[in-house]
């Protein structure tokens, strides 16, 4: 139908010399046709003709795949035959149905989840992972090559703070966990703040000493640093594994410190950056309408977040030559990325940069108020959220005797789907009653539709027959939906609108449920049965592909 819309658009342009948006509305069952289009009525006045006349003129130019009639005050009604739709899908169908090659030869970097090493993985890094992964898959489906990179928050200071806190607490290096390290970090930060407020600096000095020791190759500092880093990384990897996320690279902030500092020096010498009286270096951005300059180096010469990002942008440009770089990072960093992208323009980096930002994850408080998700202890760990999700899945699907792997797939499917329920810019509400439900718009609802189709196909495995003159009348709605998929995938590539894919998956799943009610399969005549299995097989592939673009896996059973 997208195709027909384009055809009408062109016909109108040709006949009347204007570009008007073409929309179709479904027509009620009692009226002839499946869709109606109101362009003729919109054009009539300008064309100086009656809407009926305009409608007839347009119809005369349209292809014969559909039948048309003029209805009411000048609607063009379009009737599609199931058989014609079947023909369209059969023609378009191949191994890669839904994917396209429009991005062939282009390279993107998708950066996610960019967790911080110092503390355990929290729900704060859930959306970076799910959105960053979907961005990767959507671009790949459009022919791009995508390089994924976990930009770990591992720059310098955590080690000094960890080591100082670790020594002070007298912990055992063989028993220390990421949770201990996270607590040490939070406690130390608070103590250092209090100390600074009192005009003292013993802890800060100690942390600084550890960093110096590490730099000078001190044996104990090295052992501790390696151990802490391993604990933190193992933890990050285990959570990513549960989420079924991985990245090609893991180049953290620390990897870019020296490169960033060298570039700051270079741009300072070239007069692109300027130095303040206290020795700090800034990048003025007035020419981009940003009156806050970006701080590039501290007065003591230490690197900042922006220093490492400068190094990182330069590295990616030189090593990977990306056409587009996508940063999947929350909305809090919007201004930072505005500055960073302006800086990228200023120094002449060629790639397009995109801050793929999103809102918070909210919950309903015991008092019934919507608030940012938290727990009594503060932040909610992603592991805790996953544990809770798996528990709910085990309860909801108790009779299904799920394998652990299927429990994980359904739990993460539910969580991921909830991330795509609306435009990413809106905050999402973690409402367990809806997220894990088999009814309504949820991940499990879509997954179940896949499992059901798979079961139908398994049950009918090996059955084959000619379709004969089957009219595909009962399949019209499903076929129309399946025909929409390729254009949808193409249309979400630029703005990475994963939620539109999620909406589509839900609609297709719903369409299938409606379909089974009017179209028995196993008990139908041979030719009808074969034709229906052909449609179900394609619907299953399309739904699996759609969910895969969202990183949602299909359980074996549920
Ligand atoms: N680790 C950062 C955070 O959690 C996100 C990193 C974003 N990426 C970047 N290149 N700055 O806030």
């Amino acid at each position: 139908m997208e195709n027909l819309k384009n055809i009408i658009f062109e016909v109108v342009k040709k006949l009347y010399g204007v570009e008007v948006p073409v929309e179709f509305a479904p027509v009620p069952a009692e009226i002839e046709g499946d869709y109606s289009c109101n362009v003729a009525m919109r054009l009539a006045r300008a064309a100086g003709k009656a809407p009926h006349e305009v409608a007839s003129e347009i119809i005369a130019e349209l292809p014969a795949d559909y039948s048309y009639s003029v209805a009411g005050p000048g609607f063009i009604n379009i009737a599609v035959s199931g058989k014609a739709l079947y023909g369209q899908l059969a023609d378009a169908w191949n191994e890669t149905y839904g994917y396209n090659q429009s991005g062939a030869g282009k390279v993107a970097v998708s950066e996610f989840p960019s967790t911080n090493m110092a503390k355990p993985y929290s729900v704060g890094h859930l959306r970076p992972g799910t959105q960053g992964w979907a961005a990767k898959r959507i671009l790949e489906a459009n022919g791009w090559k995508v390089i994924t990179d976990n930009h770990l928050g591992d720059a310098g200071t955590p080690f000094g703070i960890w080591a100082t806190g670790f020594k002070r607490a007298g912990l055992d290096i063989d028993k220390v966990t990421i949770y201990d390290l996270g607590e040490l970090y939070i406690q130390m930060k608070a103590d250092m703040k209090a100390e600074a407020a009192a005009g003292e600096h013993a802890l800060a000095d100690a942390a600084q000493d550890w960093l110096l020791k590490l730099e000078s190759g001190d044996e104990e500092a090295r052992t501790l640093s390696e151990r802490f880093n391993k604990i933190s990384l193992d933890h990050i990897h285990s959570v990513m594994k549960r989420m079924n996320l991985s990245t090609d690279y893991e180049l953290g902030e620390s990897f870019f410190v020296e490169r960033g500092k060298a570039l700051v020096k270079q741009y300072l010498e070239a007069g692109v950056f300027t130095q303040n009286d206290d020795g700090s270096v800034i990048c003025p951005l007035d020419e981009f309408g940003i009156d806050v300059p970006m701080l590039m180096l501290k007065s003591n010469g230490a690197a900042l977040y922006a220093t490492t990002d400068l190094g990182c942008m330069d590295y990616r440009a030189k090593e990977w030559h990306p056409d587009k770089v996508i940063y999947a990072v929350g909305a809090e960093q919007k201004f930072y990325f505005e500055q960073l992208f302006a800086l990228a323009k200023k120094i002449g980096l060629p790639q397009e940069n995109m801050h793929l930002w999103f809102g918070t994850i909210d919950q309903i408080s015991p008092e019934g108020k919507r608030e940012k998700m938290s727990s009594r202890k503060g932040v909610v760990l992603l592991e805790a959220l996953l544990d809770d999700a798996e528990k709910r899945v085990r309860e909801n699907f108790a009779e299904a005797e799920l394998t652990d792997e299927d429990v994980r797939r359904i739990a993460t499917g539910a969580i991921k789907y909830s991330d795509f329920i609306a435009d990413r810019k809106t905050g999402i509400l973690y409402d367990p009653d809806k997220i894990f439900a088999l009814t309504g718009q949820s991940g499990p609802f879509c997954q179940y539709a896949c499992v059901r189709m798979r079961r139908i196909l398994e049950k009918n495995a090996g059955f084959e027959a000619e379709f004969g003159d089957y009219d595909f009348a009962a399949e019209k709605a499903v076929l129309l939906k399946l025909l929409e998929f390729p254009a949808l995938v193409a249309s979400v590539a630029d703005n990475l609108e994963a939620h539109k894919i999620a909406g589509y998956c839900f609609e297709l799943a719903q369409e299938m449920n409606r379909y089974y009610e009017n179209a028995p399969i196993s008990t139908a005549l041979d030719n009808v049965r074969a034709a229906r299995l052909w449609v179900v097989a394609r619907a299953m592939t399309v739904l699996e592909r759609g969910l895969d673009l969202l990183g949602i896996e299909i359980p074996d059973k549920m």
Side-chain angles (χ1 to χ4, degrees):
M1 295 317 275
E2 282 310 309
N3 202 9
L4 184 61
K5 279 185 201 167
N6 293 334
I7 294 174
I8 297 181
F9 181 84
E10 293 300 330
V11 166
V12 166
K13 203 161 119 188
K14 191 183 91 181
L15 294 179
Y16 308 103
V18 287
E19 300 197 351
V20 286
V22 178
E23 293 300 338
F24 292 163
V27 302
E30 65 279 9
I31 295 175
E32 185 198 329
D34 299 292
Y35 293 94
S36 81
C37 176
N38 67 358
V39 277
M41 288 142 75
R42 299 178 59 169
L43 283 165
R45 185 184 292 257
K49 292 180 179 163
H52 279 92
E53 209 179 323
V54 175
S56 307
E57 285 175 359
I58 295 174
I59 288 173
E61 303 275 329
L62 298 180
D65 317 10
Y66 307 97
S67 52
Y68 314 94
S69 55
V70 183
F75 286 107
I76 298 175
N77 276 12
I78 303 152
V80 288
S81 80
K83 191 85 176 237
L85 294 175
Y86 157 73
Q88 283 183 29
L89 187 61
D91 285 348
W93 193 265
N94 61 27
E95 296 276 274
T96 56
Y97 182 75
Y99 305 148
N100 68 75
Q101 283 298 319
S102 62
K106 290 200 262 185
V107 176
V109 175
S110 180
E111 188 206 281
F112 66 86
S114 307
T115 33
N116 299 321
M117 299 274 288
K119 294 183 260 179
Y121 206 139
S122 81
V123 291
H125 285 91
L126 172 61
R127 300 198 79 182
T130 43
Q131 295 283 342
W133 182 268
K136 162 195 155 76
R137 291 294 301 123
I138 288 173
L139 287 177
E140 284 174 342
N142 284 281
W144 289 65
K145 174 179 170 199
V146 183
I147 297 171
T148 51
D149 186 14
N150 185 1
H151 191 76
L152 291 169
D154 61 356
T157 40
F159 170 69
I161 296 174
W162 272 340
T164 310
F166 174 80
K167 283 287 179 182
R168 183 174 73 169
L171 297 179
D172 179 348
I173 189 69
D174 294 319
K175 296 209 182 100
V176 71
T177 66
I178 183 65
Y179 312 104
D180 300 331
L181 290 179
E183 262 163 44
L184 283 183
Y185 189 82
I186 293 168
Q187 190 58 52
M188 276 288 296
K189 278 287 218 188
D191 294 350
M192 284 165 73
K193 200 168 157 195
E195 160 185 276
E200 284 161 31
H201 45 75
L203 291 172
D205 288 349
Q208 193 56 35
D209 279 350
W210 276 111
L211 286 176
L212 291 176
K213 275 198 208 167
L214 184 63
E215 265 174 42
S216 64
D218 175 84
E219 183 65 30
E220 187 185 14
R222 244 199 29 229
T223 318
L224 285 180
S225 161
E226 276 167 17
R227 181 88 200 126
F228 294 158
N229 284 341
K230 181 168 178 350
I231 291 170
S232 180
L233 268 183
D234 284 352
H235 166 75
I236 290 170
H237 293 154
S238 80
V239 178
M240 284 177 70
K241 186 154 182 261
R242 279 179 83 175
M243 293 295 292
N244 200 30
L245 296 177
S246 59
T247 57
D248 304 323
Y249 293 89
E250 215 159 49
L251 302 177
E253 291 169 18
S254 64
F255 182 83
F256 300 109
V257 170
E258 291 314 316
R259 194 184 190 100
K261 281 189 185 174
L263 285 163
V264 170
K265 191 160 165 263
Q266 183 191 314
Y267 288 119
L268 183 59
E269 280 162 10
V272 180
F273 295 173
T274 53
Q275 191 150 30
N276 290 327
D277 291 343
D278 66 358
S280 59
V281 178
I282 56 169
C283 171
L285 298 168
D286 312 87
E287 66 267 46
F288 301 96
I290 301 175
D291 52 13
V292 189
M294 193 164 208
L295 186 58
M296 301 309 301
L297 207 62
K298 281 200 205 169
S299 56
N300 65 2
L304 292 149
Y305 192 44
T307 324
T308 54
D309 263 328
L310 172 62
C312 177
M313 288 197 298
D314 177 72
Y315 177 91
R316 288 173 177 163
K318 296 210 167 91
E319 297 294 321
W320 300 336
H321 310 287
D323 297 278
K324 186 168 184 165
V325 180
I326 298 150
Y327 296 82
V329 186
E332 327 77 69
Q333 294 189 37
K334 250 162 101 175
F335 182 61
Y336 173 77
F337 281 107
E338 268 167 41
Q339 285 185 310
L340 190 71
F341 298 167
L343 162 65
K345 281 208 193 107
K346 184 157 175 146
I347 62 173
L349 289 178
Q351 82 270 5
E352 181 194 338
N353 289 301
M354 178 177 190
H355 179 199
L356 191 75
W357 59 273
F358 28 78
T360 50
I361 304 181
D362 302 336
Q363 64 186 15
I364 299 291
S365 74
E367 297 76 41
K369 277 219 299 279
R370 184 167 173 153
E371 59 180 23
K372 191 169 163 180
M373 183 181 265
S374 65
S375 73
R376 255 182 305 121
K377 287 197 206 137
V379 295
V380 176
L381 300 187
L382 187 46
E383 277 187 324
L385 189 77
L386 288 171
D387 289 344
D388 175 67
E390 291 190 355
K391 195 171 131 250
R392 288 176 195 274
V393 168
R394 282 185 206 283
E395 283 164 11
N396 289 7
F397 298 88
E399 327 79 87
E401 293 174 11
L402 299 175
T403 61
D404 290 349
E405 184 58 4
D406 278 352
V407 169
R408 187 193 61 74
R409 288 175 176 140
I410 301 169
T412 53
I415 290 175
K416 289 181 186 183
Y417 193 92
S418 70
D419 198 328
F420 301 116
I421 211 116
D423 180 299
R424 65 184 151 76
K425 295 174 181 172
T426 359
I428 54 176
L429 179 63
Y430 188 79
D431 177 353
D433 289 338
K434 295 212 175 101
I435 290 176
F436 300 100
L438 258 185
T439 51
Q441 188 171 4
S442 73
F445 178 84
C446 298
Q447 288 171 315
Y448 185 73
C450 269
V451 171
R452 185 167 175 191
M453 287 192 263
R454 191 183 286 157
R455 227 191 293 127
I456 292 171
L457 295 173
E458 275 165 12
K459 232 173 83 185
N460 290 279
F463 176 81
E464 265 177 61
E466 299 287 329
F467 302 166
D469 58 0
Y470 182 58
D471 63 7
F472 289 88
E475 283 72 24
K476 258 164 66 170
V478 171
L479 289 168
L480 278 169
K481 201 86 220 137
L482 297 178
L483 284 165
E484 281 174 19
F485 187 59
L488 174 70
V489 173
S491 75
V492 299
D494 280 351
N495 295 320
L496 300 172
E497 296 155 304
H499 70 285
K500 292 190 178 165
I501 302 282
Y504 174 86
C505 290
F506 174 60
E507 286 159 18
L508 177 57
Q510 269 184 321
E511 208 55 81
M512 290 313 291
N513 287 348
R514 277 196 284 270
Y515 173 57
Y516 303 127
E517 290 186 10
N518 321 316
I521 297 176
S522 305
T523 56
L525 294 175
D526 277 3
N527 70 321
V528 179
R529 181 173 167 200
R532 288 183 176 168
L533 290 170
W534 186 94
V535 173
V536 171
R538 270 135 202 91
M540 187 181 81
T541 300
V542 168
L543 188 50
E544 274 179 358
R545 276 186 192 160
L547 291 174
D548 170 63
L549 295 183
L550 308 175
I552 296 177
E553 302 165 82
I554 316 296
D556 290 330
K557 88 182 188 182
M558 67 191 285

